[in-house]
Amino acid sequence: MCAIVGIYTKKKNVCLSLYNALTVLQHRGQDAAGMSVYGEDNTLKIHKNNGLVRDVFSSEIMESMMGGTYGIGHTRYPTAGQIDNSEAQPFYVNSPYGIVLVHNGNLVNTVKLKSDVENNNKRHINSSSDSELLLNVFADCLTDEAQNGNNLTNLMIENAVKKLHSRVEGAYSVILLIVGYGLVAFRDPNGIRPLIYGVKDSNNYIVASESVAIDCLGYDIVGDVNPGQTIIFKDNDMYKSQYPEGSLNPCIFEYVYLARPDSIIDGINVYKSRLEMGKSLAKKIKKVLTKQELDDIDVVIPIPDTSRSSALPISILLKKELREAFVKNRYIGRTFIMPGQKIRKKSVKQKLNTIDVEFKNKNVLLIDDSIVRGNTSKQIVEMAKEAGAKKIYFASASPKITYPNVYGIDMPYVEELIAYNRSTEEICNIIGADKLIFQNLSDLENAVKKFNSKINSFDSSCFSGKYITPGVNNKYLDNLYKIRNQKNE
Ligand code: PIN
């Protein structure tokens, strides 16, 4: 999962707005940050490095980025293995025209693409990033369009994106900066990863992964970039085209945990969808627990931050008090995003502490948004016991995660997933709880779908094993595992 943003304005020093947008989107990736701006003096500036936005963009660097009127930015977290800065974005190619790209998502036909790009298009890929590959595919498609020697036009760009769609498979929300021309935003025909745009004073535009960036920078939301839609921002205006028709299959994990609750994604208020998840989880809890167990519960306790929204209706529907009993150190990044098991294990205790009075001699119902590897959940149960809890019921607002994600979320391979090949009872024993309850997948999907009838289906692949793009089969997943292990060696 990454964040992308593009801002097209008439005012100078667009780097300042890009910086602000990237800090608002920091939760989508803390591994690396970068931006590229283009100014009237015909210079393109690019800066990227590993680290948080505030560390990568010191005052000195920001000063060197001043001047430009349009630009793009990115925050990244690793989608597989390696964490050197060769995969930080944006990526740049000087021909044709000079193009810079930021990408959120993950391509699934990279082996074929790489061979096509290197052997047929005679281009060099200098990293293991699928985003660099994507940029080179676009550059090749645009080179085809530019053969007649004419000046660049919107139609040429739209045709190049059309060709790109026919070559590329996977999830891709993309923003391009074309030197001297403007910005181009497009979203894959399945609309897996989010992309939304907004306007200020009728001719300043922003396009970003989440609507919070639009809000916080004082722009008004216009709408989501539709699956298969291309929007060109040029000469103070925007030009939309649609190819292919596309269908909306957003990643359900955005609603479960990835996105900020104050974002609206594909017309759905993320916070409201989490409230709904809480309502249906409350029903499931009532079904699964005996009357005795339900009576037993003294308090409902969310594990901060994401699960707070779903814990609220659970407390109301179960008629149990809601208590804040975990305090989070807000200066430590999300453990889910950190690469490597060791760092993840160590960081739980540093990150969360208990308010012991809320646990002492109580039967508690803990709520979390998901259980992935289960390490955090296990340590949290231990902490609750140490703080004096008698019984611990644990409920997850999403179902068991039993398949890998191939569309840009850093999910571990199946064997690292606690729910892989295990019953709910087995998982419950491992994490040390007295009872464990998972949300049903249909309930989760309904909780989100309820707010947008246009959604055909979700990318719920990590729960269901059903992948929306062709070619993602057991052979593909096994190969992914091998590559991942090689990278981690
Ligand atoms: C963390 C949200 N959420 C908590 C991320 C932990 C799985 N974990 C996924 C639960 S926050 S584990 O609220 O956004 O800070 O199952 O892998 O141990």
Side-chain angles (χ1 to χ4, degrees):
M1 185 188 59
C2 298
I4 58 173
V5 60
I7 300 180
Y8 185 92
T9 135
K10 271 283 120 184
K11 293 188 194 116
K12 281 193 174 167
N13 304 337
V14 70
C15 63
L16 301 175
S17 305
L18 285 169
Y19 179 98
N20 292 337
L22 288 178
T23 54
V24 170
L25 298 170
Q26 183 78 80
H27 62 286
R28 296 184 70 85
Q30 293 120 35
D31 188 45
M35 71 167 89
S36 174
V37 297
Y38 178 77
E40 278 149 9
D41 53 353
N42 203 28
T43 53
L44 181 73
K45 293 169 187 168
I46 304 178
H47 182 76
K48 56 180 179 175
N49 211 342
N50 282 352
L52 297 174
V53 177
R54 64 163 186 245
D55 300 326
V56 172
F57 292 98
S58 60
S59 325
E60 292 77 32
I61 296 289
M62 285 304 286
E63 218 146 278
S64 73
M65 303 294 286
M66 296 296 250
T69 54
Y70 56 92
I72 56 177
H74 189 266
T75 68
R76 170 180 191 275
Y77 94 113
T79 42
Q82 230 157 323
I83 16 161
D84 63 23
N85 72 1
S86 65
E87 294 192 13
Q89 298 192 35
F91 281 104
Y92 166 69
V93 279
N94 64 357
S95 173
Y97 309 106
I99 312 171
V100 200
L101 166 142
V102 287
H103 164 219
N104 175 210
N106 193 52
L107 305 183
V108 295
N109 63 336
T110 48
V111 176
K112 176 167 188 324
L113 279 180
K114 189 155 196 278
S115 125
D116 280 355
V117 164
E118 290 185 341
N119 301 326
N120 302 336
N121 311 149
K122 308 295 177 208
R123 288 174 168 273
H124 173 67
I125 301 296
N126 205 33
S127 71
S128 50
S129 166
D130 59 333
S131 308
E132 192 189 3
L133 208 47
L134 186 63
L135 171 60
N136 277 274
V137 171
F138 178 78
D140 182 63
C141 296
L142 194 60
T143 302
D144 271 1
E145 293 298 311
Q147 291 305 348
N148 57 15
N150 291 341
N151 286 340
L152 184 59
T153 62
N154 285 354
L155 187 65
M156 287 159 72
I157 295 170
E158 286 157 11
N159 284 341
V161 178
K162 268 188 201 173
K163 283 187 191 155
L164 176 140
H165 285 318
S166 69
R167 289 177 62 177
V168 161
E169 282 164 16
Y172 49 100
S173 284
V174 174
I175 311 171
L176 304 168
L177 182 162
I178 304 183
V179 168
Y181 199 83
L183 301 184
V184 182
F186 58 90
R187 196 172 172 196
D188 70 71
N190 291 306
I192 298 173
R193 304 248 70 89
L195 195 60
I196 187 163
Y197 64 107
V199 68
K200 182 155 68 177
D201 302 331
S202 79
N203 57 6
N204 299 292
Y205 297 100
I206 182 168
V207 53
S209 297
E210 285 185 40
S211 64
V212 273
I214 299 177
D215 275 358
C216 296
L217 270 79
Y219 283 73
D220 294 321
I221 294 173
V222 178
D224 297 279
V225 177
N226 293 325
Q229 188 176 45
T230 301
I231 307 182
I232 299 171
F233 301 92
K234 173 190 186 295
D235 297 335
N236 287 335
D237 218 334
M238 57 175 169
Y239 305 87
K240 299 183 198 171
S241 62
Q242 177 72 46
Y243 179 88
E245 204 184 316
S247 72
L248 189 55
N249 305 273
C251 169
I252 202 149
F253 229 75
E254 292 282 349
Y255 301 96
V256 169
Y257 149 58
L258 303 180
R260 270 178 49 159
D262 45 344
S263 275
I264 298 167
I265 295 182
D266 290 316
I268 300 167
N269 184 307
V270 173
Y271 169 71
K272 274 175 123 182
S273 77
R274 288 182 187 159
L275 290 178
E276 277 311 303
M277 289 174 207
K279 286 186 197 165
S280 50
L281 184 57
K283 282 187 199 147
K284 174 98 187 255
I285 293 169
K286 279 187 179 173
K287 253 193 218 160
V288 171
L289 295 188
T290 62
K291 176 156 187 328
Q292 175 66 52
E293 286 169 328
L294 281 169
D295 289 345
D296 252 10
I297 297 172
D298 295 307
V299 281
V300 175
I301 298 175
I303 299 166
D305 289 310
T306 311
S307 68
R308 284 196 174 119
S309 324
S310 43
L312 195 64
I314 293 176
S315 129
I316 295 170
L317 291 170
L318 298 187
K319 300 193 176 74
K320 303 286 177 183
E321 268 193 76
L322 181 77
R323 291 298 174 98
E324 290 284 351
F326 287 104
V327 177
K328 195 168 166 179
N329 177 350
R330 68 181 72 164
Y331 302 102
I332 289 185
R334 290 170 157 189
T335 53
F336 180 66
I337 283 163
M338 290 178 186
Q341 190 86 342
K342 277 187 193 135
I343 308 172
R344 198 175 285 112
K345 266 194 171 168
K346 198 178 130 213
S347 54
V348 181
K349 289 234 172 197
Q350 296 174 355
K351 197 172 143 179
L352 277 180
N353 194 23
T354 47
I355 299 177
D356 292 2
V357 286
E358 290 296 0
F359 292 96
K360 205 157 183 56
N361 294 325
K362 287 184 184 169
N363 297 317
V364 298
L365 171 59
L366 304 184
I367 312 294
D368 211 342
D369 55 81
S370 58
I371 300 179
V372 185
R373 293 172 179 81
N375 298 330
T376 314
S377 325
K378 189 168 184 248
Q379 291 185 54
I380 281 169
V381 171
E382 273 166 24
M383 283 164 71
K385 279 185 188 162
E386 274 167 27
K390 283 195 294 182
K391 272 191 192 158
I392 297 166
Y393 302 103
F394 199 111
S396 159
S398 58
K400 286 185 195 171
I401 299 172
T402 45
Y403 295 90
N405 184 290
V406 297
Y407 300 124
I409 308 179
D410 188 27
M411 278 289 174
Y413 188 71
V414 285
E415 272 146 29
E416 291 171 49
L417 295 169
I418 192 171
Y420 175 66
N421 266 348
R422 288 202 180 96
S423 67
T424 302
E425 288 68 37
E426 286 169 323
I427 304 165
C428 183
N429 285 338
I430 295 176
I431 68 167
D434 292 277
K435 207 68 173 250
L436 175 62
I437 303 110
F438 283 101
Q439 179 97 270
N440 292 340
L441 181 54
S442 56
D443 289 341
L444 171 64
E445 292 188 334
N446 288 335
V448 187
K449 216 183 232 175
K450 183 176 173 174
F451 300 102
N452 184 352
S453 56
K454 279 196 211 134
I455 292 183
N456 305 319
S457 68
F458 290 98
D459 164 43
S460 304
S461 49
C462 53
F463 306 115
S464 68
K466 289 182 195 139
Y467 297 88
I468 198 103
T469 54
V472 185
N473 47 31
N474 287 344
K475 196 175 150 216
Y476 176 90
L477 296 174
D478 284 346
N479 197 33
L480 202 72
Y481 179 53
K482 274 186 211 142
I483 297 170
R484 201 186 160 100
N485 275 357
Q486 276 163 11
K487 275 189 172 185
N488 282 334
E489 266 167 15

